[in-house]
Protein backbone atom coordinates (compact mmCIF):
# COMPACT_ATOMS: atom_id res chain seq x y z
CA UNK A 1 0.00 0.00 0.00
CA UNK A 2 1.26 3.54 -0.64
CA UNK A 3 2.32 5.77 2.18
CA UNK A 4 0.03 8.53 3.40
CA UNK A 5 2.41 11.25 2.27
CA UNK A 6 2.72 10.08 -1.32
CA UNK A 7 -0.81 8.90 -2.06
CA UNK A 8 -1.37 11.70 -4.61
CA UNK A 9 1.69 10.69 -6.62
CA UNK A 10 0.54 7.05 -6.36
CA UNK A 11 -2.76 7.98 -7.97
CA UNK A 12 -1.13 9.94 -10.79
CA UNK A 13 1.41 7.21 -11.53
CA UNK A 14 -1.31 4.60 -11.85
CA UNK A 15 -3.53 6.82 -14.00
CA UNK A 16 -0.64 7.61 -16.35
CA UNK A 17 0.20 3.96 -16.83
CA UNK A 18 3.19 3.85 -14.49
CA UNK A 19 1.97 0.79 -12.61
CA UNK A 20 2.57 -2.86 -13.48
CA UNK A 21 1.70 -3.95 -16.99
CA UNK A 22 -1.42 -5.90 -17.75
CA UNK A 23 -5.06 -5.30 -16.88
CA UNK A 24 -5.97 -4.38 -13.33
CA UNK A 25 -8.53 -6.60 -11.63
CA UNK A 26 -12.00 -5.23 -11.98
CA UNK A 27 -11.01 -2.17 -14.05
CA UNK A 28 -11.50 -2.39 -17.85
CA UNK A 29 -8.73 -0.06 -18.93
CA UNK A 30 -9.04 0.24 -22.68
CA UNK A 31 -11.96 -1.71 -24.13
CA UNK A 32 -15.30 0.13 -24.46
CA UNK A 33 -18.23 -1.62 -22.77
CA UNK A 34 -21.09 -3.26 -24.56
CA UNK A 35 -24.64 -2.79 -23.39
CA UNK A 36 -25.31 -4.00 -19.82
CA UNK A 37 -21.57 -4.45 -19.26
CA UNK A 38 -19.02 -2.93 -16.94
CA UNK A 39 -18.01 0.72 -17.02
CA UNK A 40 -15.56 1.88 -19.67
CA UNK A 41 -11.93 2.60 -19.02
CA UNK A 42 -10.40 6.07 -19.20
CA UNK A 43 -10.60 7.74 -22.56
CA UNK A 44 -7.47 8.54 -24.47
CA UNK A 45 -5.67 11.79 -23.93
CA UNK A 46 -6.79 14.38 -26.43
CA UNK A 47 -4.60 16.99 -28.11
CA UNK A 48 -5.17 20.70 -28.21
CA UNK A 49 -6.01 21.28 -24.53
CA UNK A 50 -3.60 23.78 -23.10
CA UNK A 51 -0.31 22.92 -21.60
CA UNK A 52 2.27 21.00 -23.64
CA UNK A 53 3.72 18.24 -21.49
CA UNK A 54 7.47 18.67 -21.80
CA UNK A 55 8.44 21.00 -24.60
CA UNK A 56 6.94 24.26 -23.36
CA UNK A 57 5.67 24.42 -19.76
CA UNK A 58 3.01 27.11 -19.45
CA UNK A 59 2.84 30.08 -17.09
CA UNK A 60 6.63 30.10 -16.65
CA UNK A 61 6.71 27.50 -13.84
CA UNK A 62 8.69 24.31 -14.50
CA UNK A 63 6.70 21.08 -14.11
CA UNK A 64 7.74 18.87 -11.24
CA UNK A 65 9.51 15.60 -11.92
CA UNK A 66 7.50 12.49 -11.00
CA UNK A 67 8.95 10.25 -8.32
CA UNK A 68 8.88 6.43 -8.36
CA UNK A 69 5.63 5.27 -6.79
CA UNK A 70 4.01 2.04 -5.68
CA UNK A 71 1.46 0.77 -8.20
CA UNK A 72 -1.74 0.85 -6.12
CA UNK A 73 -3.63 4.16 -5.75
CA UNK A 74 -5.84 5.37 -2.93
CA UNK A 75 -8.91 7.59 -3.24
CA UNK A 76 -8.44 11.30 -2.68
CA UNK A 77 -8.98 11.81 1.06
CA UNK A 78 -7.12 9.55 3.48
CA UNK A 79 -9.88 9.89 6.03
CA UNK A 80 -12.26 8.17 3.57
CA UNK A 81 -10.91 4.62 3.13
CA UNK A 82 -12.18 2.43 0.31
CA UNK A 83 -13.12 -0.96 1.79
CA UNK A 84 -14.70 -1.88 -1.52
CA UNK A 85 -11.37 -1.65 -3.33
CA UNK A 86 -9.56 -3.67 -0.62
CA UNK A 87 -12.11 -6.37 0.16
CA UNK A 88 -13.48 -6.89 -3.34
CA UNK A 89 -10.63 -6.47 -5.83
CA UNK A 90 -12.65 -8.06 -8.63
CA UNK A 91 -15.62 -5.74 -8.31
CA UNK A 92 -16.25 -2.99 -10.89
CA UNK A 93 -18.95 -0.32 -11.10
CA UNK A 94 -22.15 -1.98 -12.22
CA UNK A 95 -24.31 -0.26 -14.77
CA UNK A 96 -28.02 -0.07 -14.20
CA UNK A 97 -29.70 -2.82 -16.25
CA UNK A 98 -32.23 -0.32 -17.53
CA UNK A 99 -29.62 2.20 -18.71
CA UNK A 100 -27.66 1.29 -21.81
CA UNK A 101 -24.19 2.70 -22.31
CA UNK A 102 -24.43 5.87 -24.44
CA UNK A 103 -22.76 6.04 -27.81
CA UNK A 104 -19.57 8.03 -28.20
CA UNK A 105 -20.14 11.27 -30.09
CA UNK A 106 -17.65 13.78 -31.50
CA UNK A 107 -17.52 17.17 -29.82
CA UNK A 108 -17.59 18.94 -33.22
CA UNK A 109 -18.60 17.49 -36.57
CA UNK A 110 -15.53 17.05 -38.79
CA UNK A 111 -17.04 19.18 -41.53
CA UNK A 112 -17.63 22.02 -39.08
CA UNK A 113 -14.19 21.63 -37.54
CA UNK A 114 -12.66 22.04 -40.99
CA UNK A 115 -14.09 25.57 -41.22
CA UNK A 116 -11.89 26.82 -38.40
CA UNK A 117 -8.80 28.85 -39.21
CA UNK A 118 -5.36 28.29 -37.77
CA UNK A 119 -5.28 29.65 -34.19
CA UNK A 120 -3.46 32.95 -33.72
CA UNK A 121 -1.24 34.08 -30.90
CA UNK A 122 -2.99 36.14 -28.28
CA UNK A 123 -1.02 39.30 -29.05
CA UNK A 124 0.80 40.62 -32.15
CA UNK A 125 4.45 39.83 -32.72
CA UNK A 126 5.45 43.49 -32.32
CA UNK A 127 3.95 43.62 -28.83
CA UNK A 128 5.76 40.43 -27.83
CA UNK A 129 9.07 41.71 -29.17
CA UNK A 130 8.72 45.03 -27.36
CA UNK A 131 7.95 43.26 -24.09
CA UNK A 132 11.02 41.05 -24.49
CA UNK A 133 13.22 44.11 -24.96
CA UNK A 134 11.76 45.82 -21.92
CA UNK A 135 12.35 42.75 -19.78
CA UNK A 136 15.96 42.64 -20.93
CA UNK A 137 16.74 46.22 -19.90
CA UNK A 138 14.40 46.37 -16.92
CA UNK A 139 15.38 45.68 -13.32
CA UNK A 140 12.03 44.10 -12.46
CA UNK A 141 12.97 40.57 -13.52
CA UNK A 142 13.81 39.49 -9.96
CA UNK A 143 10.54 40.88 -8.63
CA UNK A 144 8.61 39.06 -11.32
CA UNK A 145 10.31 35.77 -10.45
CA UNK A 146 9.50 36.28 -6.77
CA UNK A 147 5.84 36.95 -7.55
CA UNK A 148 5.64 33.88 -9.79
CA UNK A 149 7.17 31.70 -7.08
CA UNK A 150 4.76 32.98 -4.43
CA UNK A 151 1.79 32.37 -6.70
CA UNK A 152 2.98 28.84 -7.47
CA UNK A 153 3.35 28.06 -3.77
CA UNK A 154 -0.24 29.13 -3.18
CA UNK A 155 -1.54 26.99 -6.03
CA UNK A 156 0.38 23.94 -4.82
CA UNK A 157 -0.85 24.14 -1.24
CA UNK A 158 -2.14 20.82 0.05
CA UNK A 159 -5.78 20.34 1.02
CA UNK A 160 -7.40 17.87 3.39
CA UNK A 161 -10.66 17.74 1.43
CA UNK A 162 -11.38 18.58 -2.20
CA UNK A 163 -12.10 22.22 -3.01
CA UNK A 164 -15.04 22.99 -5.31
CA UNK A 165 -15.10 26.25 -7.27
CA UNK A 166 -18.27 27.34 -9.10
CA UNK A 167 -18.05 29.61 -12.15
CA UNK A 168 -21.22 31.32 -13.36
CA UNK A 169 -22.55 34.57 -14.80
CA UNK A 170 -25.72 36.59 -15.21
CA UNK A 171 -25.77 36.36 -19.01
CA UNK A 172 -24.24 34.47 -21.88
CA UNK A 173 -21.19 35.71 -23.76
CA UNK A 174 -19.42 36.89 -20.61
CA UNK A 175 -16.52 34.42 -20.84
CA UNK A 176 -17.85 32.03 -18.19
CA UNK A 177 -16.72 28.83 -19.91
CA UNK A 178 -13.42 30.40 -20.97
CA UNK A 179 -12.63 31.36 -17.38
CA UNK A 180 -13.59 27.88 -16.14
CA UNK A 181 -11.27 26.29 -18.72
CA UNK A 182 -8.40 28.61 -17.79
CA UNK A 183 -8.84 27.85 -14.09
CA UNK A 184 -8.89 24.10 -14.68
CA UNK A 185 -5.79 24.29 -16.90
CA UNK A 186 -3.94 26.34 -14.28
CA UNK A 187 -4.71 23.98 -11.41
CA UNK A 188 -3.81 20.94 -13.51
CA UNK A 189 -0.48 22.54 -14.40
CA UNK A 190 0.58 23.46 -10.88
CA UNK A 191 -0.98 20.77 -8.71
CA UNK A 192 -0.03 17.10 -8.38
CA UNK A 193 -3.39 15.78 -7.20
CA UNK A 194 -6.15 15.05 -9.76
CA UNK A 195 -8.17 18.03 -11.00
CA UNK A 196 -11.76 17.73 -12.27
CA UNK A 197 -13.74 20.04 -14.55
CA UNK A 198 -17.51 19.53 -14.39
CA UNK A 199 -19.92 20.96 -16.93
CA UNK A 200 -23.16 21.70 -15.10
CA UNK A 201 -24.53 23.59 -18.10
CA UNK A 202 -26.32 20.92 -20.17
CA UNK A 203 -27.84 23.42 -22.60
CA UNK A 204 -25.23 22.88 -25.33
CA UNK A 205 -22.32 23.96 -23.17
CA UNK A 206 -18.97 24.54 -24.87
CA UNK A 207 -16.54 23.45 -22.14
CA UNK A 208 -15.40 20.25 -23.97
CA UNK A 209 -14.69 22.31 -27.08
CA UNK A 210 -12.66 24.90 -25.17
CA UNK A 211 -10.69 22.11 -23.51
CA UNK A 212 -9.87 20.43 -26.82
CA UNK A 213 -11.79 17.20 -26.16
CA UNK A 214 -12.50 15.19 -29.32
CA UNK A 215 -15.33 12.90 -28.23
CA UNK A 216 -17.88 12.54 -25.43
CA UNK A 217 -19.76 9.66 -23.93
CA UNK A 218 -20.88 9.82 -20.30
CA UNK A 219 -22.41 13.03 -18.97
CA UNK A 220 -23.09 14.57 -15.58
CA UNK A 221 -26.67 13.32 -15.71
CA UNK A 222 -25.52 9.79 -16.60
CA UNK A 223 -23.05 9.66 -13.74
CA UNK A 224 -25.66 10.89 -11.27
CA UNK A 225 -27.58 7.65 -11.87
CA UNK A 226 -24.49 5.43 -11.70
CA UNK A 227 -22.10 6.78 -9.06
CA UNK A 228 -21.83 4.75 -5.86
CA UNK A 229 -19.95 5.54 -2.62
CA UNK A 230 -17.86 2.36 -2.84
CA UNK A 231 -16.35 3.21 -6.23
CA UNK A 232 -12.59 3.67 -6.44
CA UNK A 233 -10.88 6.50 -8.27
CA UNK A 234 -10.12 4.23 -11.23
CA UNK A 235 -13.79 3.28 -11.42
CA UNK A 236 -14.75 6.96 -11.52
CA UNK A 237 -12.22 7.96 -14.17
CA UNK A 238 -13.66 5.29 -16.45
CA UNK A 239 -16.63 7.62 -16.95
CA UNK A 240 -14.57 10.78 -17.50
CA UNK A 241 -12.74 12.35 -20.43
CA UNK A 242 -9.01 12.30 -19.78
CA UNK A 243 -7.19 15.55 -20.49
CA UNK A 244 -3.45 16.31 -20.52
CA UNK A 245 -1.53 16.24 -17.27
CA UNK A 246 -3.74 15.26 -14.32
CA UNK A 247 -7.03 16.82 -15.46
CA UNK A 248 -10.37 15.11 -16.14
CA UNK A 249 -13.61 16.34 -17.67
CA UNK A 250 -17.23 15.40 -16.94
CA UNK A 251 -19.34 16.87 -19.78
CA UNK A 252 -22.86 18.19 -19.29
CA UNK A 253 -24.29 16.85 -22.56
CA UNK A 254 -23.38 15.27 -25.86
CA UNK A 255 -24.20 18.40 -27.81
CA UNK A 256 -27.91 17.59 -28.01
CA UNK A 257 -30.77 19.89 -27.11
CA UNK A 258 -32.93 18.62 -24.28
CA UNK A 259 -30.34 17.28 -21.83
CA UNK A 260 -31.47 17.93 -18.27
CA UNK A 261 -29.67 18.07 -14.92
CA UNK A 262 -31.63 18.69 -11.73
CA UNK A 263 -30.30 19.80 -8.37
CA UNK A 264 -30.62 16.33 -6.83
CA UNK A 265 -28.48 14.78 -9.59
CA UNK A 266 -25.91 17.57 -9.34
CA UNK A 267 -25.61 17.23 -5.57
CA UNK A 268 -25.23 13.45 -5.84
CA UNK A 269 -22.38 13.76 -8.33
CA UNK A 270 -20.53 16.52 -6.49
CA UNK A 271 -20.78 14.91 -3.06
CA UNK A 272 -19.60 11.57 -4.44
CA UNK A 273 -16.65 12.98 -6.41
CA UNK A 274 -15.39 15.50 -3.91
CA UNK A 275 -13.01 13.16 -2.10
CA UNK A 276 -11.25 11.98 -5.27
CA UNK A 277 -10.05 15.35 -6.62
CA UNK A 278 -7.99 18.09 -5.02
CA UNK A 279 -9.78 20.85 -6.97
CA UNK A 280 -13.04 20.70 -8.91
CA UNK A 281 -14.02 23.58 -11.22
CA UNK A 282 -17.71 23.69 -12.13
CA UNK A 283 -18.91 25.49 -15.26
CA UNK A 284 -22.48 26.32 -14.18
CA UNK A 285 -25.55 27.54 -15.99
CA UNK A 286 -26.18 31.25 -16.02
CA UNK A 287 -28.10 32.70 -13.10
CA UNK A 288 -30.81 32.49 -11.87
CA UNK A 289 -30.97 28.79 -12.93
CA UNK A 290 -31.66 26.44 -10.02
CA UNK A 291 -28.54 24.29 -10.50
CA UNK A 292 -26.36 27.43 -10.64
CA UNK A 293 -27.82 28.67 -7.35
CA UNK A 294 -27.19 25.27 -5.78
CA UNK A 295 -23.61 25.24 -7.06
CA UNK A 296 -22.92 28.71 -5.68
CA UNK A 297 -24.23 27.74 -2.28
CA UNK A 298 -22.33 24.44 -2.06
CA UNK A 299 -18.95 25.60 -3.41
CA UNK A 300 -16.09 26.81 -1.24
CA UNK A 301 -15.35 29.69 -3.64
CA UNK A 302 -17.17 31.34 -6.54
CA UNK A 303 -16.30 33.16 -9.73
CA UNK A 304 -18.82 35.49 -11.33
CA UNK A 305 -17.90 36.56 -14.86
CA UNK A 306 -19.20 39.71 -16.52
CA UNK A 307 -18.38 41.50 -19.78
CA UNK A 308 -16.39 44.69 -19.24
CA UNK A 309 -19.31 46.85 -20.31
CA UNK A 310 -21.66 49.21 -18.49
CA UNK A 311 -24.54 46.73 -18.79
CA UNK A 312 -22.39 43.86 -17.56
CA UNK A 313 -21.18 45.74 -14.50
CA UNK A 314 -24.70 46.96 -13.65
CA UNK A 315 -26.27 43.49 -13.81
CA UNK A 316 -23.39 41.95 -11.87
CA UNK A 317 -23.77 44.58 -9.15
CA UNK A 318 -27.42 43.54 -8.80
CA UNK A 319 -26.43 39.88 -8.45
CA UNK A 320 -23.89 40.71 -5.77
CA UNK A 321 -26.49 42.67 -3.81
CA UNK A 322 -28.79 39.63 -4.04
CA UNK A 323 -26.00 37.38 -2.78
CA UNK A 324 -25.44 39.67 0.20
CA UNK A 325 -29.07 39.22 1.18
CA UNK A 326 -28.86 35.43 1.37
CA UNK A 327 -28.95 33.75 4.80
CA UNK A 328 -25.21 33.10 4.41
CA UNK A 329 -23.31 35.94 2.80
CA UNK A 330 -21.09 34.42 0.10
CA UNK A 331 -19.79 37.62 -1.49
CA UNK A 332 -16.57 37.54 0.57
CA UNK A 333 -15.59 34.27 -1.16
CA UNK A 334 -16.60 35.51 -4.61
CA UNK A 335 -14.33 36.93 -7.30
CA UNK A 336 -15.84 38.95 -10.14
CA UNK A 337 -13.94 38.61 -13.43
CA UNK A 338 -14.46 41.47 -15.89
CA UNK A 339 -13.66 40.04 -19.32
CA UNK A 340 -12.57 42.40 -22.07
CA UNK A 341 -14.31 41.28 -25.24
CA UNK A 342 -12.79 44.09 -27.34
CA UNK A 343 -9.30 45.62 -27.46
CA UNK A 344 -10.52 48.97 -26.12
CA UNK A 345 -13.54 48.64 -23.80
CA UNK A 346 -15.65 51.77 -23.37
CA UNK A 347 -15.46 51.56 -19.59
CA UNK A 348 -13.22 52.86 -16.83
CA UNK A 349 -12.26 49.48 -15.34
CA UNK A 350 -10.77 50.96 -12.16
CA UNK A 351 -13.95 52.86 -11.29
CA UNK A 352 -16.11 49.86 -12.21
CA UNK A 353 -14.03 47.61 -9.99
CA UNK A 354 -14.45 49.99 -7.05
CA UNK A 355 -18.23 49.86 -7.42
CA UNK A 356 -18.21 46.07 -7.37
CA UNK A 357 -15.73 45.81 -4.50
CA UNK A 358 -18.12 47.84 -2.33
CA UNK A 359 -20.30 44.70 -2.08
CA UNK A 360 -17.48 42.70 -0.46
CA UNK A 361 -16.40 40.77 -3.54
CA UNK A 362 -12.95 40.76 -5.14
CA UNK A 363 -12.51 41.93 -8.73
CA UNK A 364 -10.10 40.77 -11.44
CA UNK A 365 -9.78 41.73 -15.10
CA UNK A 366 -9.16 39.24 -17.90
CA UNK A 367 -7.61 41.31 -20.70
CA UNK A 368 -8.57 41.02 -24.33
CA UNK A 369 -6.76 38.17 -26.06
CA UNK A 370 -6.96 37.43 -29.78
CA UNK A 371 -6.56 33.71 -29.19
CA UNK A 372 -9.43 33.53 -26.69
CA UNK A 373 -11.64 35.81 -28.78
CA UNK A 374 -11.36 33.46 -31.79
CA UNK A 375 -13.02 30.60 -29.90
CA UNK A 376 -12.19 26.92 -30.26
CA UNK A 377 -9.73 24.92 -28.17
CA UNK A 378 -7.61 26.99 -25.80
CA UNK A 379 -3.88 26.57 -26.26
CA UNK A 380 -2.12 28.21 -23.35
CA UNK A 381 1.14 28.45 -25.30
CA UNK A 382 -0.66 30.88 -27.64
CA UNK A 383 -2.11 33.09 -24.91
CA UNK A 384 -0.74 36.58 -24.49
CA UNK A 385 1.53 36.98 -21.50
CA UNK A 386 -0.86 39.36 -19.66
CA UNK A 387 -3.62 36.77 -20.11
CA UNK A 388 -1.50 33.98 -18.62
CA UNK A 389 -0.54 36.16 -15.70
CA UNK A 390 -4.15 37.22 -15.08
CA UNK A 391 -5.36 33.60 -15.19
CA UNK A 392 -2.66 32.43 -12.77
CA UNK A 393 -3.32 35.19 -10.26
CA UNK A 394 -7.05 34.60 -10.48
CA UNK A 395 -6.59 30.87 -9.85
CA UNK A 396 -4.37 31.56 -6.84
CA UNK A 397 -6.82 34.04 -5.32
CA UNK A 398 -9.83 31.79 -5.81
CA UNK A 399 -7.98 28.79 -4.38
CA UNK A 400 -6.96 30.81 -1.34
CA UNK A 401 -10.56 31.95 -0.80
CA UNK A 402 -11.76 28.33 -1.01
CA UNK A 403 -9.72 27.49 2.08
CA UNK A 404 -11.23 30.15 4.29
CA UNK A 405 -13.16 28.91 7.30
CA UNK A 406 -16.82 29.75 7.03
Amino acid sequence: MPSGENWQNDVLRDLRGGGPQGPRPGVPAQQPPAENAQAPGPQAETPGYGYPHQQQPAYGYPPQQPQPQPPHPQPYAEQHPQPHAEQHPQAAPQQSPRRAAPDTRPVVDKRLAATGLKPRHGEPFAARALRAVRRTVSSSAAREVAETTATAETLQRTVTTGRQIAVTSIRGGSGKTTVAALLGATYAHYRQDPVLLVEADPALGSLPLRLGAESLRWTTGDLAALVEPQMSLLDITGYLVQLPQNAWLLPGSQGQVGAMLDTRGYERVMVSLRRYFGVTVVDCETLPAEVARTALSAAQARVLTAPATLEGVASTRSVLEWMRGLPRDITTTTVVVLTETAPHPGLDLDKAAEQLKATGASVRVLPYDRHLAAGGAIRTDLLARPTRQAATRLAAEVFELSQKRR
Side-chain angles (χ1 to χ4, degrees):
M1 293 294 294
S3 64
E5 295 181 355
N6 293 326
W7 65 268
Q8 295 170 328
N9 288 333
D10 300 338
V11 171
L12 293 178
R13 176 182 174 85
D14 194 272
L15 291 178
R16 293 169 178 170
Q21 300 297 322
R24 289 186 54 121
V27 181
Q30 298 296 335
Q31 299 180 356
E35 291 191 1
N36 302 325
Q38 293 179 343
Q43 300 188 23
E45 191 173 282
T46 55
Y49 170 73
Y51 300 95
H53 279 281
Q54 300 294 338
Q55 295 85 352
Q56 199 172 11
Y59 294 165
Y61 194 77
Q64 299 187 2
Q65 297 297 325
Q67 302 296 326
Q69 308 299 333
H72 301 291
Q74 283 183 294
Y76 176 71
E78 290 183 329
Q79 64 268 36
H80 297 282
Q82 289 290 297
H84 175 77
E86 295 293 335
Q87 300 175 9
H88 306 284
Q90 298 297 329
Q94 295 298 320
Q95 186 178 314
S96 172
R98 294 177 295 178
R99 178 181 289 268
D103 296 329
T104 300
R105 294 177 177 270
V107 173
V108 181
D109 185 271
K110 292 183 178 180
R111 291 170 295 182
L112 291 177
T115 63
L117 299 176
K118 182 180 179 180
R120 298 193 302 171
H121 198 282
E123 59 183 343
F125 174 78
R128 285 177 278 155
L130 179 60
R131 180 176 291 107
V133 172
R134 288 177 176 175
R135 291 185 64 193
T136 302
V137 301
S138 174
S139 60
S140 61
R143 182 173 64 252
E144 183 177 341
V145 170
E147 292 176 354
T148 302
T149 302
T151 302
E153 290 175 352
T154 299
L155 290 168
Q156 293 173 337
R157 193 174 300 166
T158 58
V159 293
T160 55
T161 56
R163 304 286 90 184
Q164 294 180 359
I165 298 167
V167 183
T168 187
S169 64
I170 191 62
R171 62 178 65 190
S174 65
K176 171 179 65 69
T177 299
T178 297
V179 170
L182 290 174
L183 287 175
T186 305
Y187 293 130
H189 176 70
Y190 282 96
R191 300 189 61 80
Q192 292 191 5
D193 45 19
V195 173
L196 177 64
L197 291 100
V198 176
E199 186 178 44
D201 185 359
L204 299 178
S206 58
L207 184 61
L209 177 61
R210 291 302 255 170
L211 294 175
E214 293 184 343
S215 61
L216 308 174
R217 191 173 194 185
W218 303 92
T219 67
T220 310
D222 294 330
L223 193 58
L226 297 170
V227 67
E228 297 292 342
Q230 67 270 21
M231 285 183 174
S232 69
L233 176 60
L234 292 182
D235 295 332
I236 293 296
T237 54
Y239 295 103
L240 307 178
V241 178
Q242 186 175 2
L243 301 170
Q245 297 184 323
N246 54 333
W248 304 84
L249 166 66
L250 180 58
S253 70
Q254 290 188 327
Q256 296 174 311
V257 177
M260 296 298 294
L261 177 66
D262 56 19
T263 56
R264 181 175 298 181
Y266 173 80
E267 290 172 350
R268 177 176 173 83
V269 168
M270 299 306 292
V271 170
S272 300
L273 299 187
R274 178 175 176 176
R275 63 195 179 101
Y276 297 102
F277 299 92
V279 178
T280 299
V281 179
V282 186
D283 181 18
C284 303
E285 296 176 282
T286 56
L287 291 169
E290 186 176 4
V291 173
R293 297 200 305 267
T294 301
L296 287 178
S297 177
Q300 284 80 40
R302 301 138 194 94
V303 176
L304 189 62
T305 63
T309 62
L310 181 59
E311 307 92 290
V313 172
S315 58
T316 301
R317 174 65 183 262
S318 300
V319 173
L320 293 173
E321 294 291 351
W322 166 74
M323 292 168 62
R324 292 180 67 183
L326 296 176
R328 179 171 60 88
D329 184 6
I330 57 178
T331 55
T332 55
T333 52
T334 298
V335 179
V336 176
V337 178
L338 297 177
T339 58
E340 295 185 359
T341 57
H344 305 288
L347 187 71
D348 188 325
L349 294 179
D350 292 333
K351 291 183 178 180
E354 290 299 323
Q355 292 295 317
L356 297 176
K357 288 178 181 178
T359 63
S362 302
V363 180
R364 290 279 178 177
V365 175
L366 183 66
Y368 173 77
D369 188 288
R370 296 190 310 175
H371 178 62
L372 293 180
I378 297 175
R379 288 180 48 185
T380 54
D381 59 308
L382 293 181
L383 293 176
R385 182 176 181 83
T387 304
R388 293 198 301 269
Q389 292 176 334
T392 306
R393 292 165 182 165
L394 170 65
E397 181 176 5
V398 174
F399 182 72
E400 199 165 20
L401 289 176
S402 72
Q403 300 185 81
K404 282 188 174 182
R405 293 185 178 273
R406 297 181 297 171

